[in-house]
Amino acid sequence: MALTVVSGVPGVGSSRVTEAAVASLDERFELLNSGDVLLEEALGSGRNVEGRDDLSDLAPTELRRLQRRMGEYVAAIAADPDTHVVLNTHLVVSTSAGFVPGLPPEVLRDLDPDAFVLVEASPDLIRERRADSDYRSYRVSDRLGIEFQQSMSRTAALSYSTAVGAPVALVENTDDVESAAVQLAHEIQRAASR
């Protein structure tokens, strides 16, 4: 199984960077977005959600069940020896009940990633990007909250890394998505060669 987890706090631009990075790689690399998989699972099981933002309003036990199904789904795709999955996800999720792990222990075991890559930018830049977003809502929008979210994401990355023995890399997404995508593509290829 080959899998790289890419993550960044909401608004940092990790989805755009990951899409651009994977588009530059060959067909062996498959991009999956955990939010899309979670939403599909939620809709398929009859949960009352309309979009990805609604997932964070689910009860923690419901969200954890969906995360487990997402992990099983992604692990099944990554089991193909000719595929290297790149999973774009959040390592920490802000919910109506508070922050929860994006990859609970059972999900992390299922996925068993080869590497983690954090996409980061300054809290001020993330705040600007969140303010400019017309299609997403954010529970956290102030500088201190964003710093706290990034700190928790870093801590989660180290914790997950320790649990599975996978390295953590950093990609900075400042103004130039293309250069961040080049850096990320390099990290993905490096993980795939392990």
Side-chain angles (χ1 to χ4, degrees):
M1 186 158 85
L3 182 119
T4 299
V5 172
V6 179
S7 183
V9 299
V12 76
S14 62
S15 293
R16 286 184 58 204
V17 171
T18 306
E19 288 168 4
V22 173
S24 72
L25 300 171
D26 65 50
E27 68 279 349
R28 293 178 300 131
F29 295 88
E30 182 171 346
L31 173 60
L32 296 174
N33 186 301
S34 67
D36 294 340
V37 176
L38 289 167
L39 180 59
E40 191 173 311
E41 288 290 333
L43 292 171
S45 62
R47 288 184 173 78
N48 188 22
V49 295
E50 293 180 20
R52 288 176 22 183
D53 288 340
D54 297 333
L55 295 170
S56 63
D57 291 327
L58 295 173
T61 53
E62 283 188 85
L63 180 59
R64 197 160 177 152
R65 276 191 215 105
L66 290 174
Q67 288 171 319
R68 182 65 193 261
R69 289 191 188 135
M70 178 276 299
E72 291 168 348
Y73 174 81
V74 173
I77 293 172
D80 180 344
D82 296 325
T83 301
H84 186 97
V85 171
V86 178
L87 178 63
N88 184 22
T89 191
H90 295 297
L91 300 183
V92 177
V93 179
S94 178
T95 72
S96 55
F99 289 98
V100 298
L103 300 175
E106 61 276 9
V107 176
L108 191 60
R109 275 193 304 277
D110 287 345
L111 295 176
D112 192 25
D114 298 295
F116 295 89
V117 182
L118 286 177
V119 178
E120 291 202 354
S122 73
D124 290 330
L125 183 55
I126 294 169
R127 191 175 65 204
E128 287 174 28
R129 289 176 179 164
R130 288 180 181 186
D132 290 343
S133 177
D134 293 333
Y135 66 96
R136 295 280 313 265
S137 62
Y138 299 99
R139 291 184 185 282
V140 177
S141 58
D142 63 319
R143 188 178 203 290
L144 182 61
I146 292 168
E147 286 175 348
F148 182 64
Q149 238 179 339
Q150 280 192 306
S151 176
M152 283 196 306
S153 186
R154 292 174 190 144
T155 301
L158 180 59
S159 175
Y160 298 158
S161 167
T162 302
V164 298
V168 179
L170 175 68
V171 169
E172 189 176 7
N173 181 26
T174 51
D175 294 325
D176 185 6
V177 170
E178 291 77 24
S179 72
V182 168
Q183 292 174 47
L184 179 56
H186 172 74
E187 294 298 340
I188 293 167
Q189 288 175 312
R190 194 161 70 161
S193 66
R194 290 188 180 101

